[in-house]
Amino acid sequence: MTAAPIAVVTGASSGIGAATARGLAAAGYHVVLTARRKDRIEALAAELTDAGHQAAAHTLDVTDRAAVDAFAASLEGSGRGQVKVLVNNAGGALGADPVATGDPGDWRQMYEVNVLGTLHITQALLPALTASGDGTVVVLSSTAAHGTYEGGAGYVAAKHGARVLAETLRLEIVGTPVRVIEIAPGMVKTEEFATTRFRGDTEKAAKVYEGVAEPLTAEDVADTITWAVSRPSHVNIDLMIVRPRAQASNTKIYREL
Ligand code: 8X3
């Protein structure tokens, strides 16, 4: 029996990352879940394995380059299948302050994880993805990568960085057997995104979704990713912007209040 192709998912401990790991496991990939929180990814890997899928967990902070390189080397020597998919999902927002008062530390941290984290693991796995003869790099950007909004500058700047990484990589590696897919979700109601942004202030976090009939779910976005990844190899979904119906733009949201 040939080994199942490997799909690496970063930030797989919750939200879109966890849902994507589920989706890709169901699509037949051997899913390697990475995140900082060991307990969560181990529990999800066990759940997937119990359900008859192939999954493994590897604790990883994508901002730690040495750890990312060691992870890539461990995959090469694992005797598992070829690495065919990388889903760059690790990321997030910190704060929603205006430019005048935003914390430079927040900006730095958002650049570290959303841009440099994506850069580190993409660089580390690109040789394996290329060698597989049929690789896919997914970059989870955001609608914040395509337009700004008040209070969003730090996050918007970081997500623009992730988008530029994806677009530039696609130009640079054309002719190699690797495609680059950017998925840009709008309002997604996940367990942690807004709570992390507002540092545990659940009231502020709840306001983000207030009156919005049906924000996207992590599963909605995971479906989109799984669909894009499972197109035939020659089909490159360059970019998908995915929003809930109630959101016409970053700033035009219908709320039933
Ligand atoms: C999440 C979308 O509107 O919070 O990436 O920037 S938004």
Side-chain angles (χ1 to χ4, degrees), residues 4 38 50 116 181 190 221-222 225 237:
K38 188 173 190 276
D50 288 349
L116 297 182
I181 297 173
T190 59
V221 181
I225 296 167
I237 306 297

PDB file of all heavy atoms in Angstrom, residues 4 38 50 116 181 190 221-222 225 237:
ATOM      1  N   ALA A   4      -0.093   7.399   2.470  1.00  0.00           N
ATOM      2  CA  ALA A   4      -0.946   8.562   2.165  1.00  0.00           C
ATOM      3  C   ALA A   4      -0.079   9.812   2.100  1.00  0.00           C
ATOM      4  O   ALA A   4       0.885   9.949   2.857  1.00  0.00           O
ATOM      5  CB  ALA A   4      -2.004   8.715   3.247  1.00  0.00           C
ATOM      6  N   LYS A  38       0.327  21.468  22.849  1.00  0.00           N
ATOM      7  CA  LYS A  38       0.512  20.030  22.675  1.00  0.00           C
ATOM      8  C   LYS A  38      -0.763  19.225  22.966  1.00  0.00           C
ATOM      9  O   LYS A  38      -1.158  18.362  22.173  1.00  0.00           O
ATOM     10  CB  LYS A  38       1.622  19.628  23.645  1.00  0.00           C
ATOM     11  CG  LYS A  38       2.149  18.220  23.557  1.00  0.00           C
ATOM     12  CD  LYS A  38       3.368  18.095  24.498  1.00  0.00           C
ATOM     13  CE  LYS A  38       4.114  16.805  24.294  1.00  0.00           C
ATOM     14  NZ  LYS A  38       3.561  15.685  25.014  1.00  0.00           N
ATOM     15  N   ASP A  50      -8.612   7.496  15.871  1.00  0.00           N
ATOM     16  CA  ASP A  50      -9.687   6.606  16.327  1.00  0.00           C
ATOM     17  C   ASP A  50     -10.791   6.480  15.282  1.00  0.00           C
ATOM     18  O   ASP A  50     -11.464   5.462  15.185  1.00  0.00           O
ATOM     19  CB  ASP A  50     -10.316   7.120  17.634  1.00  0.00           C
ATOM     20  CG  ASP A  50      -9.382   6.923  18.819  1.00  0.00           C
ATOM     21  OD1 ASP A  50      -8.361   6.210  18.659  1.00  0.00           O
ATOM     22  OD2 ASP A  50      -9.648   7.501  19.895  1.00  0.00           O
ATOM     23  N   LEU A 116       6.202  36.135   9.222  1.00  0.00           N
ATOM     24  CA  LEU A 116       7.454  35.384   9.345  1.00  0.00           C
ATOM     25  C   LEU A 116       7.198  33.909   9.664  1.00  0.00           C
ATOM     26  O   LEU A 116       7.928  33.032   9.198  1.00  0.00           O
ATOM     27  CB  LEU A 116       8.364  36.028  10.395  1.00  0.00           C
ATOM     28  CG  LEU A 116       8.814  37.456  10.057  1.00  0.00           C
ATOM     29  CD1 LEU A 116       9.748  38.011  11.120  1.00  0.00           C
ATOM     30  CD2 LEU A 116       9.495  37.514   8.689  1.00  0.00           C
ATOM     31  N   ILE A 181      -2.145  28.810  -3.089  1.00  0.00           N
ATOM     32  CA  ILE A 181      -3.562  29.169  -2.957  1.00  0.00           C
ATOM     33  C   ILE A 181      -3.719  30.128  -1.781  1.00  0.00           C
ATOM     34  O   ILE A 181      -3.244  29.837  -0.684  1.00  0.00           O
ATOM     35  CB  ILE A 181      -4.405  27.895  -2.690  1.00  0.00           C
ATOM     36  CG1 ILE A 181      -4.322  26.932  -3.879  1.00  0.00           C
ATOM     37  CG2 ILE A 181      -5.853  28.258  -2.368  1.00  0.00           C
ATOM     38  CD1 ILE A 181      -4.981  25.572  -3.629  1.00  0.00           C
ATOM     39  N   THR A 190     -15.099  32.007  15.499  1.00  0.00           N
ATOM     40  CA  THR A 190     -14.400  30.854  16.060  1.00  0.00           C
ATOM     41  C   THR A 190     -14.283  31.045  17.567  1.00  0.00           C
ATOM     42  O   THR A 190     -14.536  32.129  18.092  1.00  0.00           O
ATOM     43  CB  THR A 190     -12.990  30.683  15.453  1.00  0.00           C
ATOM     44  OG1 THR A 190     -12.235  31.864  15.706  1.00  0.00           O
ATOM     45  CG2 THR A 190     -13.037  30.418  13.962  1.00  0.00           C
ATOM     46  N   VAL A 221     -14.920  27.553   6.352  1.00  0.00           N
ATOM     47  CA  VAL A 221     -13.627  27.905   5.742  1.00  0.00           C
ATOM     48  C   VAL A 221     -12.832  26.627   5.438  1.00  0.00           C
ATOM     49  O   VAL A 221     -12.204  26.507   4.376  1.00  0.00           O
ATOM     50  CB  VAL A 221     -12.829  28.863   6.652  1.00  0.00           C
ATOM     51  CG1 VAL A 221     -11.499  29.241   5.997  1.00  0.00           C
ATOM     52  CG2 VAL A 221     -13.638  30.111   6.951  1.00  0.00           C
ATOM     53  N   ALA A 222     -12.889  25.678   6.347  1.00  0.00           N
ATOM     54  CA  ALA A 222     -12.184  24.406   6.130  1.00  0.00           C
ATOM     55  C   ALA A 222     -12.698  23.709   4.870  1.00  0.00           C
ATOM     56  O   ALA A 222     -11.921  23.130   4.102  1.00  0.00           O
ATOM     57  CB  ALA A 222     -12.352  23.495   7.346  1.00  0.00           C
ATOM     58  N   ILE A 225     -11.106  25.356   1.922  1.00  0.00           N
ATOM     59  CA  ILE A 225      -9.696  24.953   1.791  1.00  0.00           C
ATOM     60  C   ILE A 225      -9.610  23.538   1.220  1.00  0.00           C
ATOM     61  O   ILE A 225      -8.849  23.274   0.280  1.00  0.00           O
ATOM     62  CB  ILE A 225      -8.986  25.026   3.167  1.00  0.00           C
ATOM     63  CG1 ILE A 225      -8.950  26.469   3.668  1.00  0.00           C
ATOM     64  CG2 ILE A 225      -7.575  24.428   3.079  1.00  0.00           C
ATOM     65  CD1 ILE A 225      -8.555  26.606   5.131  1.00  0.00           C
ATOM     66  N   ILE A 237      -6.376  27.534  -7.680  1.00  0.00           N
ATOM     67  CA  ILE A 237      -7.303  28.551  -7.157  1.00  0.00           C
ATOM     68  C   ILE A 237      -6.410  29.627  -6.530  1.00  0.00           C
ATOM     69  O   ILE A 237      -5.958  29.475  -5.400  1.00  0.00           O
ATOM     70  CB  ILE A 237      -8.260  27.937  -6.104  1.00  0.00           C
ATOM     71  CG1 ILE A 237      -8.989  26.701  -6.653  1.00  0.00           C
ATOM     72  CG2 ILE A 237      -9.248  29.002  -5.600  1.00  0.00           C
ATOM     73  CD1 ILE A 237      -9.902  26.945  -7.817  1.00  0.00           C
TER      74      ILE A 237
END
